[in-house]
Amino acid sequence: MKFFSFWRSLASFRVRIALNLKKLPAEVVFVDIDADAHRADEYRRLNPQMALPALVEDDGTVLFQSLAILEYLEETHPSPPILPADAKSRARVRALALMVACEGHPLLVPRVRRYLDRELNLRDEQQNAWRRHWTIETLTALEGHLAGHKDTGKFCHGDAPTMADICMVGHCTVAVTQQIGLDRWPTVKRIFENAMALPEFASAHPLAQPDTPEAMRPKAG
């Protein structure tokens, strides 16, 4: 498989985690969004949406959209599972994942930020307020669904990571980047810390990628 990724892409972050959990090797091709490499003809032919990530199977099949890729990996490599066995539990996990991937995250992506800047001429502080508002709203909604729910365990659903955790950690990472403390969402914070303690999650973190700019990497000590 070839995996087209960018260090800061939260959608790529999700697929990296899933590949790690399922121990699936992939050749990583780095696509520098900051240099508009995703708009170049070579990548545009692969994914006309010009969004990351993309996963290309050995037979040339091009997979796109992170949640569709996660579902595909679950169907083709079911162990270990990232969806529960029963239908009601799967619906809950998918709903939690969709809250992030389809509602919270799309409002924060580069093309939206670019529009706010270039078309609406929003000042930096206004754009920061936009990002903080939608980050906080999503985390608050997640906490409401997770706190005290009978199916919430060590992770979003039970005691093993699922698609819900794979999506949630990215949104928590955005909050940390914006210096938004997670203490006001104690269930979310606990699950985030449990997930990021796993090597499959930690090694997929945006700041731990080969294409992460050196200046962005955590300093030793």
Side-chain angles (χ1 to χ4, degrees):
M1 291 187 292
K2 284 188 177 181
F3 173 47
F4 291 78
S5 174
F6 181 58
W7 70 275
R8 202 178 60 231
S9 161
L10 296 183
S12 298
F13 186 10
R14 296 172 199 140
V15 176
R16 285 196 296 266
I17 295 169
L19 290 171
N20 288 345
L21 286 170
K22 292 180 178 293
K23 295 179 171 49
L24 297 174
E27 176 190 347
V28 182
V29 180
F30 301 110
V31 181
D32 189 346
I33 289 177
D34 291 336
D36 280 344
H38 59 306
R39 297 178 179 276
D41 288 343
E42 184 178 3
Y43 187 73
R44 188 195 296 252
R45 284 193 294 270
L46 192 71
N47 182 2
Q49 190 188 11
M50 298 176 288
L52 288 169
L55 188 69
V56 181
E57 273 283 24
D58 294 341
D59 65 0
T61 301
V62 179
L63 305 168
F64 53 96
Q65 285 293 329
S66 63
L67 290 194
I69 294 173
L70 295 186
E71 293 272 5
Y72 172 81
L73 294 177
E74 178 72 353
E75 291 173 2
T76 56
H77 301 85
S79 181
I82 57 173
L83 283 171
D86 66 284
K88 289 181 180 178
S89 295
R90 288 199 302 272
R92 179 174 184 258
V93 166
R94 286 182 172 121
L96 291 168
L98 289 166
M99 286 171 62
V100 174
C102 295
E103 299 205 29
H105 178 215
L107 296 165
L108 309 176
V109 296
R111 64 180 177 273
V112 170
R113 299 200 306 270
R114 190 179 300 114
Y115 187 83
L116 295 175
D117 177 29
R118 299 179 185 177
E119 302 299 328
L120 300 185
N121 296 314
L122 294 188
R123 298 184 302 276
D124 286 346
E125 58 267 29
Q126 291 174 308
Q127 293 187 46
N128 289 338
W130 169 279
R131 289 193 293 271
R132 290 179 66 87
H133 171 80
W134 296 115
T135 301
I136 288 170
E137 181 169 284
T138 301
L139 291 171
T140 301
L142 285 167
E143 181 71 19
H145 278 282
L146 293 169
H149 193 284
K150 65 180 179 61
D151 291 325
T152 301
K154 183 178 179 181
F155 296 99
C156 288
H157 192 90
D159 294 326
T162 65
M163 190 184 295
D165 307 283
I166 290 172
C167 290
M168 193 190 77
V169 295
H171 210 74
C172 291
T173 300
V174 167
V176 171
T177 301
Q178 295 180 77
Q179 298 183 319
I180 299 172
L182 298 178
D183 289 345
R184 71 183 93 173
W185 306 288
T187 314
V188 167
K189 180 182 179 182
R190 173 180 61 78
I191 294 170
F192 174 61
E193 291 172 347
N194 287 340
M196 295 311 298
L198 298 176
E200 294 87 352
F201 280 73
S203 63
H205 192 282
L207 299 185
Q209 302 315 302
D211 61 328
T212 304
E214 197 61 38
M216 299 295 298
R217 296 182 183 278
K219 303 303 179 186

